[in-house]
Amino acid sequence: MRLAALLAALRPALPLVLGLSLGCSLSLLRASWSQGGGEELCLGAAGRAELPGGAQPEAAEARPGPGHEDFRPRIVPYYRDPNKPYKKVLRTRYIQTELGFHERLFVAVLTSRATLNTLAVAVNKTIAHHFPRLLYFTGLRSAKVPHGMVLVAHGDERPIWLMYETMYYIYQHFGSDYDWFYIMQDDTYAQAEQVKALVTHLSINQDVYLGRAEEFIGGDEQARYCHGGFGYLLSRSLLLKLHPHLDSCRNEILSVRPDEWLGRCIIDFLGIACVSQLQGQHYHTYELAKNADPEKEEEEEFQAAIAVHPVSDMTLMYRLHKHFSRIQLERAYQEIQELQMQIRNLTSLTPAGEASLTWPVGINSPFLPKSRFEVISWDYFTEQHLFSCLDGSPKCELSGASKADVSDIIESALEQLNSRYQPSLRFSKRQLLNGYRRFDPTRGMEYTLDLLLEAVTQKGHSHVLVKRVSLVRPLSKVEIIPMPYVTEATRVQLVLPLTVQDLDFVSNFLDMYAMNTLDTHDNALLTLLFIYHPYDAQRVSQVDVFAGVKAMVGELEKRYAEVKIPWISVKTEVPSQVKLMDIVSKKHPVDTLFFLASVWTEINMEFLNRCRMNTISNWQVFFPVHFQEFNPALVYRAEQTASSSTDFLRDGHFDRHSFAEACFYNSDYMTARTKLAADIVDRDEVLESMEVFDVFLHYSGLHLFRAVEPGLVQKYALRSCNPRLSEELYHRCVLSNLEGLASRSHLAMALFEQEQANST
């Protein structure tokens, strides 16, 4: 009975036990077969086993072969010596810097004092804007350096000395920053785009000495140097190897020509001769005859030349640039036509067929709005007026860039019509009846023109007709502007102007400043600017309107013993931003990075870092567009509560009318302010109508970077607009208050509820 009871209890588990046993048995059998199969490998001639396909048995085993160590991942355990003090690793701001990436191309132009203001200027105007870095090297400099040129003078006009000093200077200052170095003379015309395309097709891990190869006089035929008149290209690896031998070359090699001296130095110490082609790339050159006319040169060598030499004067340099620019433009148009034809041919093979073909061919399709709020509106214009003005007026005169844009688009329309219908018809414009334009961020500027045209046939008959044309000015290639490198270690000096109307918001500002900068030990200091009205200034000994703020500052200084918050008192009826900044600027060093804040600003580390990165001394100033929260009484009303996190699509907007916040260096402000002072002599009242933004805009050549800043959030507050300021500043302040009330939907709901309440 006991055995029967035990079997009855184990019966449900019997299938599981049998399955496990069978699975274990089959796995053991499979393992034995696999081990036995390894003995049947055939031995090759060298006595090693070979696998099908030529693979070696090392690849079939778990052990890597002798040449495979670099391709297998290895875990390196972290170990820190406890006896050494811990040091925080400073990570770079950009991945490119941390990984050691280099810029592509550096260009050096050899010039002289006699040709600096002629040929060198022509070179600068024709190719300088194509290269990220271009320097001019000379022996003796002239009294005045042309504008926009960076000149390095070595102090000696001897050609060999100039070449030696130039190579040493390039290695010392740019040897670790660039992959390629292109050296040319100022009597050489080089096609910049062709040079840039050449280096993109060459490998950077080889020693490259590329140019027009010339034989030494009486030397070995295999030893060639690159002719300096046609320019030559050096790789970074060759420059690094050449640097230790430059002193020996200067003392041991005698030569009259600097290009021969450099070629002999490279050959003697590195064993590398100049070549005219490398890795399938040819360095085409053309020697220009005396009194040659670029328009009449029809040889294939001239059309394909990367460098042309010699160029005798500035006029010839500009004519060469015009000729080769026309050739590049024709090639670009031809490539566009070929690509458009290929797109048309391939479109029929797509699932959507020819219906998916957009106009113009190859340009993105127009933006499709998902709601009525995303519809892009058209601006109406004529040849004299624009009917959508920046100041909100219904009609304004067409001038400046807008007028030039309209004239250019009309000329382009006539050119396209004539190219399509000639020689049957010849069109001439009588009048622009209607013009429409809009900017589509997915494709560019779109135009629709209603033109009153006069069409003339081949027989001389004329007829007046109205023709509607559509044109697109597509977005061109995005260009990355080279910017100087900056770090996040710069100290930021916060400047906070305060008036009597701002007293209710000072407490929140100081709390945020203490929490986000003092508690985190951020490198940011604060200076308060107390703006007294003349009446309050007279009573300051009895009643100080800023006594509460000074008490809060004292509490902060007690809580943070190492922190001092200075303040400056100013008496004025019109708190002009420029006049206030003049006072602060004189009390700080020239290298101070200012952040001009407002009392509603909530300071945080994210924005301070962005202020440091976007502000570059002698290059760029930063004017952020802060995010302004809407009036909570209108957005949330009585039955709702504000959300803890700001919803950027619902709870506020970016206030483009405000220029209160700014980041700039004191040296840049002082330079612009000096130019302003010379322009408004004995007219100090002009300062009351200006802001710091206007000073930089009109009196400095710096980049003004103005962008939306999501890290700079301000709570809603009704600003007090000073009527003593200029009409423009007062108007911008009023618009800021009005647009900061609520969105259109919230205002509509508030009006609806008010009407419902009045009707009942």
Side-chain angles (χ1 to χ4, degrees), residues 456-659:
V456 181
T457 64
Q458 288 181 310
K459 296 182 179 180
H461 301 292
S462 62
H463 179 68
V464 178
L465 54 87
V466 177
K467 186 75 172 178
R468 167 165 285 193
V469 296
S470 298
L471 303 97
V472 175
R473 191 190 298 274
L475 295 172
S476 59
K477 182 176 64 175
V478 178
E479 178 183 2
I480 300 178
I481 301 176
M483 301 291 288
Y485 180 75
V486 293
T487 65
E488 295 179 346
T490 308
R491 172 178 291 178
V492 179
Q493 181 66 56
L494 281 75
V495 179
L496 179 64
L498 290 175
T499 62
V500 179
Q501 292 80 10
D502 303 331
L503 295 178
D504 296 336
F505 309 97
V506 179
S507 177
N508 181 70
F509 177 90
L510 294 178
D511 291 341
M512 298 300 296
Y513 169 73
M515 180 176 62
N516 294 329
T517 59
L518 300 183
D519 291 342
T520 59
H521 301 284
D522 192 274
N523 195 10
L525 302 179
L526 174 63
T527 297
L528 298 178
L529 195 61
F530 296 140
I531 304 173
Y532 286 89
H533 190 272
Y535 176 76
D536 295 328
Q538 295 177 357
R539 303 171 56 248
V540 69
S541 58
Q542 294 83 18
V543 179
D544 188 355
V545 292
F546 293 106
V549 181
K550 296 177 181 178
M552 287 186 282
V553 171
E555 292 294 331
L556 284 179
E557 293 179 344
K558 290 180 182 179
R559 192 191 314 171
Y560 305 94
E562 71 282 359
V563 175
K564 297 296 181 183
I565 303 178
W567 65 70
I568 303 173
S569 300
V570 180
K571 181 180 70 172
T572 180
E573 292 185 4
V574 183
S576 169
Q577 195 180 53
V578 177
K579 289 184 177 181
L580 297 177
M581 200 61 225
D582 289 345
I583 299 174
V584 178
S585 176
K586 296 176 182 178
K587 297 182 179 297
H588 290 85
V590 294
D591 59 346
T592 303
L593 172 58
F594 285 124
F595 168 42
L596 188 58
S598 63
V599 71
W600 305 281
T601 305
E602 295 185 356
I603 305 298
N604 58 74
M605 186 181 299
E606 176 187 359
F607 168 73
L608 291 178
N609 286 335
R610 210 134 44 213
C611 177
R612 296 181 177 102
M613 301 303 296
N614 291 332
T615 310
I616 305 173
S617 180
N618 199 28
W619 185 270
Q620 179 173 283
V621 293
F622 180 41
F623 287 86
V625 181
H626 67 258
F627 183 81
Q628 177 67 52
E629 294 186 1
F630 286 142
N631 188 346
L634 293 174
V635 175
Y636 305 108
R637 295 183 297 279
E639 69 278 2
Q640 300 181 16
T641 57
S643 59
S644 57
S645 62
T646 302
D647 185 353
F648 286 95
L649 297 178
R650 184 190 64 174
D651 296 347
H653 74 120
F654 288 101
D655 189 2
R656 59 186 178 88
H657 298 292
S658 176
F659 294 84

Side-chain angles (χ1 to χ4, degrees), residues 322-385:
K322 178 182 178 181
H323 177 75
F324 283 107
S325 297
R326 185 186 299 113
I327 293 176
Q328 293 180 2
L329 190 61
E330 292 175 355
R331 290 174 182 172
Y333 284 141
Q334 182 65 29
E335 291 179 3
I336 291 174
Q337 292 179 0
E338 293 176 357
L339 290 173
Q340 288 179 340
M341 185 61 67
Q342 294 177 11
I343 292 173
R344 288 191 182 96
N345 296 335
L346 293 175
T347 302
S348 59
L349 304 177
T350 60
E354 295 183 357
S356 62
L357 191 65
T358 60
W359 179 88
V361 179
I363 305 298
N364 295 332
S365 57
F367 172 73
L368 296 177
K370 298 180 180 179
S371 66
R372 62 188 180 91
F373 297 104
E374 297 180 357
V375 175
I376 303 175
S377 61
W378 290 85
D379 298 334
Y380 179 77
F381 63 89
T382 62
E383 292 185 81
Q384 293 80 25
H385 296 92

Side-chain angles (χ1 to χ4, degrees), residues 380-391 393 395-408 437:
Y380 179 77
F381 63 89
T382 62
E383 292 185 81
Q384 293 80 25
H385 296 92
L386 183 65
F387 292 83
S388 57
C389 308
L390 295 176
D391 57 358
S393 58
K395 179 181 178 181
C396 55
E397 185 177 357
L398 195 65
S399 61
S402 295
K403 187 176 183 61
D405 177 61
V406 171
S407 301
D408 180 63
R437 69 179 181 183

Side-chain angles (χ1 to χ4, degrees), residues 44-344:
R48 292 186 301 175
E50 295 182 352
L51 294 174
Q56 299 299 326
E58 292 174 347
E61 298 179 4
R63 300 187 308 273
H68 294 75
E69 286 82 357
D70 294 340
F71 299 96
R72 288 192 172 275
R74 293 175 294 175
I75 300 177
V76 180
Y78 173 75
Y79 172 76
R80 182 170 66 89
D81 191 352
N83 298 324
K84 294 183 179 180
Y86 173 72
K87 183 179 179 181
K88 183 179 179 181
V89 179
L90 179 62
R91 298 294 298 272
T92 57
R93 178 70 178 180
Y94 301 105
I95 297 177
Q96 177 180 356
T97 305
E98 186 167 339
L99 297 181
F101 290 171
H102 304 122
E103 296 291 340
R104 176 67 66 179
L105 181 62
F106 172 86
V107 179
V109 181
L110 303 179
T111 182
S112 63
R113 182 169 59 177
T115 59
L116 177 61
N117 292 285
T118 55
L119 288 175
V121 172
V123 171
N124 189 67
K125 291 183 177 181
T126 54
I127 69 171
H129 55 283
H130 292 277
F131 296 117
R133 195 64 180 268
L134 188 145
L135 262 66
Y136 297 85
F137 295 88
T138 182
L140 299 175
R141 61 186 301 167
S142 58
K144 184 178 180 181
V145 178
H147 178 71
M149 298 173 57
V150 181
L151 182 67
V152 178
H154 297 307
D156 197 326
E157 287 284 357
R158 290 177 295 174
I160 306 302
W161 177 266
L162 176 61
M163 177 60 70
Y164 164 78
E165 289 291 341
T166 299
M167 297 302 299
Y168 188 84
Y169 185 93
I170 292 175
Y171 166 81
Q172 186 177 18
H173 293 84
F174 307 103
S176 59
D177 297 332
Y178 291 86
D179 287 329
W180 299 99
F181 302 89
Y182 184 68
I183 302 174
M184 57 179 290
Q185 300 175 178
D186 59 1
D187 60 346
T188 304
Y189 176 78
Q191 292 200 64
E193 294 299 327
Q194 298 284 12
V195 176
K196 292 166 62 177
L198 177 66
V199 299
T200 56
H201 291 84
L202 295 177
S203 177
I204 63 175
N205 59 354
Q206 295 186 6
D207 299 332
V208 177
Y209 183 33
L210 182 65
R212 176 164 174 165
E214 299 282 348
E215 295 182 3
F216 290 99
I217 299 177
D220 186 7
E221 294 183 358
Q222 301 297 328
R224 295 172 178 267
Y225 71 96
C226 289
H227 194 291
F230 298 95
Y232 45 89
L233 191 68
L234 303 177
S235 64
R236 178 174 176 268
S237 60
L238 185 140
L239 181 64
L240 296 181
K241 294 178 182 178
L242 180 65
H243 170 256
H245 308 292
L246 287 176
D247 291 335
S248 301
C249 294
R250 183 189 59 179
N251 299 327
E252 299 175 7
I253 299 177
L254 299 177
S255 180
V256 178
R257 292 172 53 93
D259 49 1
E260 290 187 7
W261 174 85
L262 181 62
R264 177 60 64 188
C265 180
I266 296 175
I267 293 173
D268 291 351
F269 289 91
L270 302 182
I272 300 174
C274 175
V275 293
S276 298
Q277 58 178 347
L278 183 68
Q279 301 176 13
Q281 303 298 315
H282 296 262
Y283 189 84
H284 298 286
T285 60
Y286 185 81
E287 186 172 357
L288 203 62
K290 189 176 182 180
N291 299 325
D293 186 359
E295 301 297 333
K296 298 180 180 179
E297 296 286 343
E298 298 180 354
E299 300 181 21
E300 293 184 2
E301 295 181 0
F302 178 74
Q303 306 296 337
I306 295 178
V308 178
H309 174 80
V311 182
S312 56
D313 53 38
M314 298 176 60
T315 304
L316 182 58
M317 183 78 72
Y318 296 136
R319 292 172 64 189
L320 286 168
H321 184 65
K322 178 182 178 181
H323 177 75
F324 283 107
S325 297
R326 185 186 299 113
I327 293 176
Q328 293 180 2
L329 190 61
E330 292 175 355
R331 290 174 182 172
Y333 284 141
Q334 182 65 29
E335 291 179 3
I336 291 174
Q337 292 179 0
E338 293 176 357
L339 290 173
Q340 288 179 340
M341 185 61 67
Q342 294 177 11
I343 292 173
R344 288 191 182 96

